[in-house]
Amino acid sequence: MQDVQEPLIGIVGAGAMGQGIAQIAAVAGLKVRLMDGDAAASSRAIAAIDNMLQKLSAKGKLTPEQAREALRRIPLRSLHSTLRQFRSVFITRTKRSGCWLF
């Protein structure tokens, strides 16, 4: 029997792009690890995603339970967490880096 793991998406960069990717993946049912070198940025990202999920719920696009479940799929992680566990990692460009990472 094959070992089947739940899909896990890693996103490095908790800015607008990272938030959007995390939100879409979580709503689709994927487990997400949203990481940023700035712990405050990660906290702001979770708050922004929660706000957006609540708006979608208020508009009837998601049920309140779907919004809560999506947010539960995005626990905070530090950038220093290991990335070896991921099949896919999305790295978004930061304003300070001046380069794109793929």
Side-chain angles (χ1 to χ4, degrees):
M1 177 156 62
Q2 185 178 4
D3 180 25
V4 178
Q5 294 182 345
E6 189 175 356
L8 178 63
I9 301 295
I11 303 165
V12 178
M17 187 184 304
Q19 290 172 26
I21 295 167
Q23 178 185 320
I24 290 168
V27 168
L30 300 171
K31 288 178 16 179
V32 178
R33 297 299 178 263
L34 180 60
M35 300 164 273
D36 198 286
D38 178 2
S42 296
S43 295
R44 286 190 305 270
I46 294 297
I49 293 168
D50 183 32
N51 185 48
M52 183 54 70
L53 291 170
Q54 296 309 314
K55 286 180 182 179
L56 291 170
S57 178
K59 291 180 181 182
K61 304 287 185 181
L62 297 173
T63 67
E65 181 59 27
Q66 287 172 319
R68 283 190 298 274
E69 284 299 316
L71 194 61
R72 284 188 200 121
R73 292 186 192 105
I74 314 173
L76 282 174
R77 293 286 188 257
S78 73
L79 183 61
H80 304 291
S81 298
T82 180
L83 298 178
R84 282 196 263 178
Q85 62 183 317
F86 302 109
R87 172 176 273 173
S88 300
V89 176
F90 298 90
I91 302 176
T92 62
R93 181 183 180 270
T94 66
K95 292 178 183 175
R96 295 178 296 228
S97 70
C99 64
W100 288 94
L101 301 173
F102 296 100

